[in-house]
Structure formats: structure tokens, C-alpha cells
Amino acid sequence: MLFRRKTKIETAPPQEQVTTFAPEEAVSAEELAALGIEPDEQTLPEEPVQEASPAQEEAPAQEEAAMQEPTEEASPVEEEAAPAEEEQPKMTFFGNLGKRIRDAMGGGEDLTDDFFEEMEEIFITSDIGMDTTVELVQTMQLVAKYDHIRKVNKMKDVIKKAIMARVDKGDRHKMSEKMPLIILMIGINGGGKTTTIGKLGAKYLREGKSVLFVAGDTFRAAAGEQLSIWADRAGIPMISHAEGADPSAVLYDGLEAAKARGTDVIICDTAGRLQNKKNLMAELEKMNRIIDKQYPEASRETLLVLDATTGKNAISQVEQFGDVAALTGVVITKLDGTAKGGIAITIADQFDLPIKFIGVGEGINDLREFDPAAFVGGIFDE
């Protein structure tokens, strides 16, 4: 296996497992750091604090306002002169998951074990695996204790921190910026691989890069024709052979053409066969040897394309393709609100794989670089 899935021992926090919620218990910053969370010392009190009543909160606010010097209000002319910021469209990646979480934390009830049990059920029924769900709930309990949270409706930032600790892989989310760049696209047939190649090529064109498609999936009927349609739509040249040809031969010709033209980005389609992993492994190994020999100076990415609507079946695809390819990241397609979205959290966590891109529609521009903060913010429509 070319990457190693986390075991249950590895996924469990190094501290004693939390079985009940007791906000008065002390939690150290080291315990949070072990879970991948950087505590905010400026906002987190060291000792539990009593919640102030409305009257107590109002008095200091009034005193502070009285001590402040009056400030001049901006004139209507000045206000009109300031350009209004364009509001970016919000994306929902979680379907019903986000609404269920918001409903669960919508009241002002006391924070008890019942809330965490409800969250566990929500996570599991939203395509988040059992191991990841256990980690999420344990992390939420520890952060809530560290922050001295006592009300359900104060759990928003706690939930965001717990999920961010699972999906945020830092700079690994970024594609290699070294040119020339060779991208091998792998994934099962019907998962959106060809569509993603077209969108990805169009993205690099918009950035001013030259792009070449290589039709390396020579076993699936009409695969080359489908890629050709996307190539024509995006205005990208394509190298292809007849159906049934050796994929490595197509790649060889593609690399020769790319070198002659000085192409920046070469995107190569590959066969989506899983029924015979031995043949697929041999095929991918041969293609990588061709790259090593013909274009050793090029940087390389190997991306697995996954359909978010397949739910937990995507996990088995990561396991099987991870056995035959050195994956550098995943692309999750059809994440447009109809999918549950939780599968992305599981894949990032259990396989420690960065999500590079997400597909959010059928248009040629509907491929977005994965932004962990925006992704997690989608739970709360932020």
C-alpha cells in the first residue's frame, strides 16, 4: 500500500478517552495540541468563569461607552464614496448535514452528554466514518472543556475547530507550482474524471498556462471522444491514439509533443479499471517510468477523482487506488449541496490525503481549489 490508513490506535487521542462531559474538568493546551488544535490563549480563560447576567453585562458596557470620547460620524458624501464590497456567493457543501448541526445547537440549553450523542448520530448518518466521528466528538468535548463552554448555542467555534483539525492539510492542498507539471488523473469510470480534466485544463488556461491533454484511457469505449469534446470546449490541444492502444505509448507521444511545444501543464487521463488491480498497477507503474525517463525535470501530481454522491463507497475507492498509485491528493466531484459532504472529512482524516479541488457544478468554471475554512464555514452558511 502506497499510503497507510490510520489505525484505531493512531486515531485515538493520547489522553484518556472522555466518556462523560464535565465542563469543570481542566484540559491542558498540550491535550488540544495533540489533536491538531492550536488553542487561542487570548480568548480562553484558564479557570472556569460564571456566565454574567444581562444586567451585569450591560453595566460595564455602559461605563466603557461613557469613558470613550465622541467620534465624528462620516458624512453622507463620504459614505457614498466608499465602494461597496461585492458579496461572494456562499456555497453549501453539506446538504442536510449543516442544517441538522445548526438545529442541534440552536437553543440555549445546557451542554450535556445528550448533545454530543446527538452530534455523533448526525455525523455517522452524514457519511462521516465511525473512527472519524469518535475523534470529532472527543475533540469537541476537550475543546468545550478548555473553553469552559456551558451552553449548546456556544458550540459553533468548537465544532469548526474539531472539523478543521481533520481536513486542513496546510500547503499540501496546493498544486505544485513548478513547471512543467504532469498531472495523472485516476478514478473509476463515471466518477467525473473526464469532466474534471476539462475543468482543470480550463482553470490553468485562465491562469495563463499552456495546457495539453493526453487521452490515456484507451480501454473505455468513447473515452477519447468525451475528452475531445472538453478539449474543444476549452480550446486545449489533445494527443490521442486509437481505442485499445497502449496508454504508455500515448503518454510518450504526449510528453514528446509537450517538450517540443514548451507546454506548462500536461494532464493525462488513465483507465478507471478496478476489477483487475494487478493490470492497473502495472499500467500506472509503466506510465510513471515513461515520465521518469522522458521528462525527469517535470513536477508531478497524481489525483484521485471521487464522486461525493457515492458516500462511503468512496472510501473503498481510496483504499484500492491507494494500493496501486502514489496519490498526492483527491478531487471530490458533485459537491454541490446534493451530497452529504461528510465523506470529504473522512477521507482527509482517515487517509491523511489533502483535498486539492472540489467540483460544484456542471459548468467548465465549476471547479474550485479546496479552501478548508470555506468548506467548514459552509456548515454555518458562512
Side-chain angles (χ1 to χ4, degrees):
M1 197 170 186
L2 298 177
F3 68 87
R4 188 166 62 91
R5 182 174 181 176
K6 290 158 62 177
T7 65
K8 291 184 178 180
I9 294 177
E10 291 171 320
T11 58
Q15 309 298 326
E16 182 179 352
Q17 292 189 353
V18 180
T19 55
T20 59
F21 184 70
E24 69 278 2
E25 292 181 2
V27 174
S28 68
E30 288 75 15
E31 288 179 275
L32 295 188
L35 294 170
I37 294 179
E38 185 72 25
D40 185 353
E41 299 293 352
Q42 294 182 346
T43 60
L44 304 179
E46 294 182 359
E47 299 294 336
V49 295
Q50 298 294 328
E51 293 187 359
S53 66
Q56 290 174 323
E57 292 179 350
E58 184 178 355
Q62 292 175 344
E63 293 176 4
E64 184 178 351
M67 295 176 63
Q68 292 180 344
E69 295 183 1
T71 56
E72 296 183 3
E73 296 184 358
S75 66
V77 176
E78 291 174 338
E79 290 179 355
E80 292 178 3
E85 294 184 1
E86 295 185 4
E87 185 175 352
Q88 297 296 322
K90 297 175 181 178
M91 291 301 302
T92 299
F93 308 109
F94 293 96
N96 197 38
L97 170 61
K99 182 180 183 303
R100 292 175 67 192
I101 292 178
R102 294 193 298 273
D103 289 346
M105 55 169 289
E109 299 87 358
D110 290 338
L111 185 60
T112 66
D113 289 338
D114 290 341
F115 171 77
F116 293 104
E117 291 176 3
E118 182 178 3
M119 291 299 299
E120 181 177 291
E121 179 183 354
I122 291 172
F123 288 152
I124 292 174
T125 56
S126 299
D127 286 343
I128 299 179
M130 178 61 74
D131 290 346
T132 299
T133 292
V134 170
E135 288 186 26
L136 284 172
V137 172
Q138 289 178 339
T139 301
M140 288 165 53
Q141 289 173 317
L142 288 173
V143 174
K145 289 180 180 180
Y146 189 88
D147 287 0
H148 306 296
I149 302 295
R150 285 173 167 75
K151 296 293 182 180
V152 168
N153 59 5
K154 301 296 184 181
M155 286 292 293
K156 175 181 174 180
D157 288 341
V158 176
I159 296 171
K160 290 171 66 175
K161 286 178 182 179
I163 297 178
M164 279 289 287
R166 301 294 174 282
V167 302
D168 190 358
K169 307 299 179 182
D171 290 340
R172 293 171 59 201
H173 291 290
K174 299 178 181 178
M175 294 288 283
S176 174
E177 297 181 353
K178 178 187 174 184
M179 300 293 152
L181 170 63
I182 300 171
I183 306 173
L184 292 178
M185 305 293 291
I186 64 177
I188 65 169
N189 299 329
K193 181 158 53 78
T194 304
T195 300
T196 299
I197 291 173
K199 294 177 181 179
L200 187 57
K203 171 189 177 297
Y204 277 113
L205 280 185
R206 292 194 300 270
E207 295 175 356
K209 303 289 193 304
S210 55
V211 183
L212 176 69
F213 287 163
V214 177
D217 186 356
T218 60
F219 294 97
R220 182 168 62 93
E225 288 81 354
Q226 291 177 7
L227 185 59
S228 178
I229 293 173
W230 279 99
D232 292 340
R233 186 181 301 179
I236 295 173
M238 186 179 87
I239 301 297
S240 63
H241 285 190
E243 185 177 323
D246 182 357
S248 295
V250 186
L251 177 60
Y252 179 92
D253 288 349
L255 295 180
E256 289 297 299
K259 287 193 291 184
R261 303 172 188 181
T263 303
D264 297 316
V265 181
I266 305 99
I267 307 178
C268 181
D269 192 9
T270 65
R273 300 173 299 168
L274 271 178
Q275 65 273 21
N276 192 329
K277 291 201 296 181
K278 183 177 180 180
N279 287 352
L280 181 58
M281 179 182 292
E283 181 180 305
L284 291 173
E285 287 177 348
K286 185 176 180 181
M287 296 178 82
N288 278 294
R289 287 198 302 270
I290 292 292
I291 297 173
D292 291 338
K293 183 177 180 180
Q294 297 301 121
Y295 224 161
E297 66 271 29
S299 57
R300 200 177 314 177
E301 296 273 3
T302 302
L303 305 183
L304 174 61
V305 180
L306 299 169
D307 181 345
T309 63
T310 62
K312 292 182 174 64
N313 185 48
I315 296 176
S316 65
Q317 293 176 37
V318 179
E319 290 175 334
Q320 293 181 70
F321 277 107
D323 282 338
V324 301
L327 303 177
T328 60
V330 297
V331 180
I332 300 182
T333 64
K334 305 177 187 179
L335 200 59
D336 55 2
T338 57
K340 296 177 183 177
I343 194 63
I345 302 172
T346 299
I347 290 169
D349 175 48
Q350 294 301 312
F351 300 99
D352 192 28
L353 278 171
I355 301 170
K356 299 280 189 174
F357 298 98
I358 55 176
V360 295
E362 295 298 324
I364 198 169
N365 297 323
D366 291 333
L367 184 73
R368 299 191 178 185
E369 295 180 0
F370 182 74
D371 182 341
F375 178 79
V376 176
I379 297 176
F380 301 99
D381 288 338
E382 295 177 340

